[in-house]
Amino acid sequence: MTNKYDNGSLKSILEDVFKDEKLGNCKTRIVVPAFHINTLKPYVYKTAHHKRFERDYKVKIVDIAMESTAAPTYFKLYRGENDILCIDSGIGANNPTFLGVAEAIGVLEWPIDEIQVLSLGCTEESCELNNDENKIPKGQAHYAAQITDLFMKSQDGYSDGLTRILLRVNEHRDRYVRINQKVSRKAYALGKVNEITIKNLKGLATSAERKYLSQINGFFKEKAEKFEPIYKLEE
């Protein structure tokens, strides 16, 4: 089995945009999840928003983006200048909303009643499984083709549910807005990119904006304080 695409084109585009910029050049607090193959554990890059985070701010944004988007079967594993060998963060953080909430509460120690979350998804596909215990099971063949979807849907559900619990969304609905359009299976697959699908995605965005605009506007009523990292890149 080989990778479906060469990641060279993606890297070239990222280099055109970000040049040699590093995580320390970011103007806001950032957490970017990836999955470290050699340790089989999540590897989360973070800006220097805590005194413990002394290293990541020196890593190139291009390397972080390549590691975090190295989707299995689509792109090969990616090894950056720090020799960390990673694959796509979707393995463990397809919906990273909860990572941001945990960072705000556990690391930054922000009061829960001062946290508001706007979470934007990349569409949610339908998934059809045998839901009749009396049917003859299809075994491995039935589940193998959809195992990735199952992992991603379960992770997305856990992240969404835990976020709602921590922020007590049942009592404070304005604290969390999750926008993730439901679409037909394979309608916008990673390997299916053309002029029509791009237009359709723009149409979905326009539809979502129309539906959620009043809620979205609530996140921009106040200007956030300027982010001052604890450690800074040398001028």
Side-chain angles (χ1 to χ4, degrees), residues 7-190:
N7 63 2
S9 296
L10 173 59
K11 186 173 184 180
S12 178
I13 292 172
L14 289 171
E15 289 174 335
D16 287 343
V17 174
F18 295 106
K19 313 298 182 190
D20 289 325
E21 297 279 351
K22 297 179 179 179
L23 192 61
N25 293 116
C26 292
K27 305 301 182 183
T28 60
R29 300 171 184 85
I30 301 288
V31 293
V32 184
F35 191 83
H36 190 181
I37 283 295
N38 291 326
T39 64
L40 296 180
K41 292 181 179 180
Y43 195 94
V44 183
Y45 287 98
K46 302 181 181 184
T47 48
H49 51 262
H50 190 279
K51 63 182 180 180
R52 290 192 290 109
F53 307 149
E54 303 179 49
R55 298 173 58 89
D56 293 351
Y57 75 97
K58 303 175 184 178
V59 181
K60 288 184 177 180
I61 292 176
V62 170
D63 282 343
I64 295 175
M66 290 296 292
E67 291 176 22
S68 184
T69 57
T73 73
Y74 282 91
F75 296 120
K76 65 180 181 180
L77 304 179
Y78 185 82
R79 189 191 301 275
E81 291 183 356
N82 58 6
D83 281 331
I84 300 295
L85 188 64
C86 288
I87 58 175
D88 184 9
S89 60
I91 291 295
N94 187 50
N95 175 1
T97 305
F98 182 65
L99 291 181
V101 174
E103 195 77 8
I105 296 173
V107 176
L108 297 172
E109 298 182 344
W110 289 352
I112 292 177
D113 58 4
E114 294 182 9
I115 298 174
Q116 285 186 293
V117 177
L118 175 60
S119 176
L120 305 178
C122 299
T123 72
E124 177 185 355
E125 289 188 349
S126 59
C127 182
E128 297 181 1
L129 294 171
N130 175 25
N131 59 2
D132 185 348
E133 70 276 13
N134 294 316
K135 286 185 178 180
I136 299 175
K138 298 180 181 179
Q140 294 180 347
H142 176 62
Y143 291 102
Q146 300 191 68
I147 194 67
T148 300
D149 291 339
L150 287 175
F151 277 131
M152 288 188 171
K153 282 185 175 296
S154 62
Q155 191 282 325
D156 178 82
Y158 281 125
S159 177
D160 181 74
L162 289 171
T163 296
R164 293 179 182 278
I165 290 172
L166 279 182
L167 298 183
R168 299 196 291 272
V169 174
N170 283 342
E171 294 83 22
H172 307 278
R173 296 188 180 279
D174 61 328
R175 289 181 180 175
Y176 177 49
V177 176
R178 170 71 172 166
I179 302 175
N180 197 23
Q181 296 283 74
K182 292 186 177 182
V183 297
S184 301
R185 182 169 172 77
K186 301 301 181 183
Y188 303 98
L190 288 177

